[in-house]
C-alpha cells in the first residue's frame, strides 16, 4: 500500500470513528495529504481541562516506517513538551511502530496530558516542579 493511500485510510478512520477529545485531518486532502492539523481538548481532572491545544502533523515520505512529526502550535507547560512545542512521546521515537494509526497517536497524546512521563522531560522546569510541588505545577499549567 502506498504511503498516500495509507494516509487516506487513516483520514477515513478518524471520520468514521473519531477519538474522544482529539481530532486531526489534512488541511488539503487533494493537494497535500502529508500535512495535517489537529487538536486535543484538555482532559478532565487535569490542569488542561477547558483548553483546546492545536497540533501540526507532518508525514515523512517514509511513513509509516518512520513516525510523523507532531508539534503543538503553542507552548504548553508540561514536562514532556518543550518551550519550542516539541513533544516527547516514546511512540514518536524509540517505540514507533508502523502499525500505529493516527488515531492511536492522538489518544496517546491525550494520555500524555493526563500522565506525564517523569523519566524524560523536555521542559526541565515543568518536570522539576511536577516532581516537587505538583499543586504549583498545576497552577502554572492552568494559566
Amino acid at each position: 500500500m502506498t504511503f498516500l493511500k495509507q494516509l487516506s485510510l487513516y483520514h477515513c478512520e478518524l471520520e468514521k470513528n473519531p477519538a474522544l477529545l482529539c481530532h486531526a485531518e489534512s488541511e488539503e486532502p487533494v493537494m497535500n495529504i502529508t500535512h495535517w492539523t489537529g487538536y486535543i481538548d484538555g482532559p478532565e481532572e487535569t490542569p488542561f481541562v477547558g483548553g483546546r491545544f492545536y497540533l501540526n502533523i507532518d508525514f515523512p515520505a517514509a511513513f509509516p516506517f518512520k513516525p510523523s512529526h507532531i508539534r503543538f502550535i503553542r507552548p504548553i507547560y508540561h514536562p514532556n513538551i518543550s518551550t519550542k512545542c516539541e513533544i516527547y512521546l516514546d511512540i514518536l521515537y524509540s517505540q514507533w511502530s508502523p502499525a500505529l494509526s493516527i488515531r492511536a497517536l492522538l489518544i496517546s497524546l491525550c494520555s500524555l496530558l493526563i500522565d506525564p512521563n517523569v523519566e524524560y522531560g523536555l521542559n526541565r522546569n515543568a518536570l522539576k516542579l511536577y516532581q516537587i510541588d505538583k499543586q504549583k505545577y498545576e497552577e502554572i499549567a492552568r494559566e
Side-chain angles (χ1 to χ4, degrees), residues 33-64:
I33 198 163
T34 64
H35 177 73
W36 292 26
T37 57
Y39 64 82
I40 296 173
D41 288 331
E44 294 289 326
E45 300 181 24
T46 71
F48 309 105
V49 67
R52 179 166 277 184
F53 306 96
Y54 292 91
L55 304 160
N56 278 323
I57 306 167
D58 291 296
F59 298 93
F63 183 84

Side-chain angles (χ1 to χ4, degrees), residues 102-115:
I102 303 311
R103 186 177 189 281
L105 287 174
L106 291 172
I107 291 169
S108 294
L109 283 172
C110 284
S111 294
L112 187 67
L113 291 182
I114 295 167
D115 187 25

Side-chain angles (χ1 to χ4, degrees), residues 48 53-54 72 74-79 81-83 85 113 123 126 141:
F48 309 105
F53 306 96
Y54 292 91
F72 282 98
R74 296 211 161 122
I76 298 172
Y77 191 74
H78 187 280
I81 302 168
S82 78
T83 56
C85 306
L113 291 182
N123 183 332

Side-chain angles (χ1 to χ4, degrees), residues 122-139:
L122 287 177
N123 183 332
R124 299 278 182 207
N125 293 334
L127 177 61
K128 185 175 181 178
L129 193 56
Y130 181 86
Q131 292 171 326
I132 62 172
D133 188 348
K134 193 171 177 184
Q135 184 175 353
K136 182 68 175 169
Y137 159 80
E138 288 180 355
E139 285 175 26

